Amino acid sequence: MQHVLDLAERVSRISESSTMKVAADADRLRREGIDVVDFGAGEPDFPTPDNIKNAAIAAIDANFTKYTPTGGTLELKKAICDRHRDDYGTDYAPAECMVTVGGKHAIFNLMQVLIDQGDEVLIPVPYWVTYKDVVNYAGGKCVFVETDEDTGFSFTAETIEPYITSKTKLLIINSPNNPCGSLLPREEFERIYHLASKRGIQLMTDECYCRFLYDSEPFSIAAMPDAKENVVIAGSLSKTYSMTGWRIGFALAPKPLIDAMMKLQSHTTSNPTSVAQKAAVEALRGPQDSIKIMLAEYRKRRDYVVARLRAIPGVHCAEPQGAFYAYPNIACGFGLGIDSAMKFSERLLSEAHVAVVPGEAFGTTEHVRISYATSMQELDRGLDRIAQFVGDQQQ
Ligand SMILES: Cc1ncc(COP(=O)(O)O)c(C=O)c1O
């Protein structure tokens, strides 16, 4: 008799990351020899800067290859606090900081130590895929805050307030946003922070794309007087320094939260890779010009992608104000067996060989996410194919 493996119930509460699935599907076609244009990947196409790579090589040569403290070296925690202070005017101490294995890990740790069975977590739509799964895995309940595409998916304190109940424990803000690039303006962010703190709700700000703003200066809500008590920052070096594979993220939070997350991490990953930590110190303390260079390139690409998408009859696209994603509404391409963004994406990949991530992954049904962290040449080729594909559906 075949043995049926009895998996833990909690695993059934999560699903495979859609962005990872798109990458695997595109990869499969490529291995079959098909020329795929990949707009799925959420990672910079720039190499990690040389000074950062050299710091890692020096660390290996110096045999810095053993365990470090669970929450990262003091050297790196100081570098994180100093960079955050210099960039945003905050005043975190190393005891309020921990280093994690990528930003995703900081978010996972937080949910595990903060969210109890039945606790509600407010998540504005569209949202980054992982939030939903890590909240569900912790036993919490996601409460999605609907936003309006016509206003660029913006939301205000008044939008959020009706969703608050006695069970609301956490509000997640990701600005600039993955997948749509929208930005929560500073004054509104402050109003939302006041609402959350008045109602005793913790606010997690995911600052993954904070340095990539097109028309305004970066800021952190944690720089507001007294905000530190109610705010948890999930940070990442992945996009800022083009270090996705190095897996270095961090949390800045009140000490009791950091201590709890550290306890959990001591039994899971232990410390992030020692060598990557040395590279991260160099990233944070060394020259910062690579960020400006990437941002200038992303701006050029954003302008091009949005103009090309808007030129396709029936396609709408809100202008991204940060990050490196466009999130067009492609409902005009429905029909002929396509009735959802999921179907649209599947057919776009199998017939036109362009990989995008369907909106269902982010909580909407009429959009796809296009990552423009790829060359202008690839953007050009892919957008030609998308325009042709949408046109074909409308025949
Ligand atoms: C909004 C957002 N937050 C956090 C992360 C985590 O990145 P990492 O785990 O590579 O630091 C990502 C990565 O795509 C992201 O898009």
Side-chain angles (χ1 to χ4, degrees):
M1 200 179 77
Q2 181 93 33
H3 175 67
V4 180
L5 197 59
D6 187 18
L7 294 174
E9 179 276 328
R10 61 185 171 277
V11 163
S12 67
R13 290 185 232 141
I14 57 175
S15 39
E16 184 193 0
S17 157
S18 322
T19 45
M20 302 278 181
K21 181 175 179 310
V22 170
D25 289 348
D27 222 40
R28 188 173 35 76
L29 286 186
R30 249 187 244 112
R31 278 199 308 274
E32 288 169 15
I34 294 170
D35 165 32
V36 176
V37 176
D38 192 353
F39 292 158
E43 66 178 344
D45 55 321
F46 301 94
T48 305
D50 283 344
N51 61 314
I52 300 175
K53 292 193 285 196
N54 289 336
I57 293 165
I60 294 174
D61 287 341
N63 291 314
F64 191 73
T65 54
K66 303 288 171 69
Y67 292 132
T68 76
T70 294
T73 60
L74 183 60
E75 180 191 32
L76 178 52
K77 290 199 277 191
K78 278 185 175 159
I80 290 168
C81 296
D82 288 352
R83 164 83 16 235
H84 213 269
R85 184 197 57 225
D86 292 352
D87 287 347
Y88 307 115
T90 51
D91 65 343
Y92 283 99
E96 300 165 305
C97 174
M98 74 181 286
V99 188
T100 54
V101 185
K104 196 180 263 188
H105 186 209
I107 297 167
F108 181 83
N109 280 347
L110 176 69
M111 297 308 158
Q112 288 297 316
V113 305
L114 191 68
I115 300 304
D116 268 327
Q117 199 70 30
D119 283 346
E120 294 180 2
V121 179
L122 301 180
I123 307 176
V125 178
Y127 48 79
W128 181 47
V129 273
T130 291
Y131 302 143
K132 174 169 65 64
D133 291 282
V134 291
V135 169
N136 288 338
Y137 192 71
K141 180 176 169 217
C142 298
V143 176
F144 299 111
V145 176
E146 293 304 325
T147 60
D148 188 358
E149 177 178 7
D150 293 338
T151 61
F153 301 102
S154 67
F155 54 90
T156 63
E158 285 73 23
T159 321
I160 289 175
E161 189 151 25
Y163 292 89
I164 297 176
T165 73
S166 58
K167 292 188 178 154
T168 309
K169 187 82 173 271
L170 178 72
L171 164 65
I172 297 180
I173 302 283
N174 171 218
S175 174
N177 172 277
N178 174 6
C180 70
S182 65
L183 180 74
L184 184 56
R186 187 181 201 131
E187 308 73 55
E188 199 53 53
F189 210 148
E190 290 179 3
R191 292 183 69 237
I192 290 171
Y193 162 75
H194 285 304
L195 171 68
S197 74
K198 197 173 73 191
R199 303 290 292 266
I201 300 165
Q202 203 77 33
L203 191 154
M204 186 194 96
T205 170
D206 181 341
E207 297 189 344
C208 186
Y209 299 96
C210 245
R211 297 298 301 274
F212 297 120
L213 298 189
Y214 297 117
D215 307 306
S216 52
E217 286 303 306
F219 68 93
S220 173
I221 196 68
M224 275 181 63
D226 303 326
K228 269 170 55 180
E229 249 176 64
N230 248 54
V231 169
V232 178
I233 294 171
S236 170
L237 274 68
S238 288
K239 325 281 171 160
T240 313
Y241 300 101
S242 201
M243 291 180 72
T244 44
W246 298 76
R247 309 309 301 135
I248 295 289
F250 58 88
L252 293 165
K255 190 171 177 304
L257 265 178
I258 292 289
D259 290 346
M261 291 193 277
M262 206 106 85
K263 193 161 66 169
L264 175 65
Q265 188 161 304
S266 74
H267 294 295
T268 53
T269 58
S270 299
N271 62 274
T273 306
S274 59
V275 172
Q277 289 191 59
K278 282 286 186 190
V281 170
E282 173 60 25
L284 295 161
R285 296 238 186 252
Q288 301 293 301
D289 16 326
S290 61
I291 303 173
K292 274 203 201 97
I293 294 167
M294 285 193 279
L295 180 61
E297 191 56 39
Y298 292 147
R299 181 183 283 109
K300 241 193 301 176
R301 296 175 190 178
R302 175 205 54 174
D303 293 346
Y304 180 70
V305 169
V306 171
R308 288 276 325 253
L309 286 169
R310 287 179 176 170
I312 303 172
V315 171
H316 306 283
C317 185
E319 180 165 76
Q321 292 157 304
F324 43 67
Y325 308 102
Y327 200 55
N329 184 316
I330 43 71
C332 64
F334 291 1
L336 293 178
I338 299 181
D339 57 2
S340 64
M342 185 79 83
K343 257 272 149 324
F344 180 95
S345 307
E346 280 168 16
R347 294 265 300 270
L348 184 70
L349 181 59
S350 62
E351 293 169 26
H353 306 147
V354 180
V356 296
V357 185
E360 283 86 346
F362 312 104
T364 75
T365 53
E366 297 188 342
H367 306 83
V368 294
R369 189 190 77 174
I370 292 176
S371 165
Y372 49 85
T374 188
S375 69
M376 282 298 245
Q377 196 192 352
E378 283 301 277
L379 289 172
D380 200 30
R381 273 171 12 101
L383 286 159
D384 283 349
R385 292 183 190 185
I386 291 175
Q388 174 81 47
F389 180 79
V390 173
D392 290 348
Q393 307 313 307
Q394 292 169 337
Q395 298 288 306

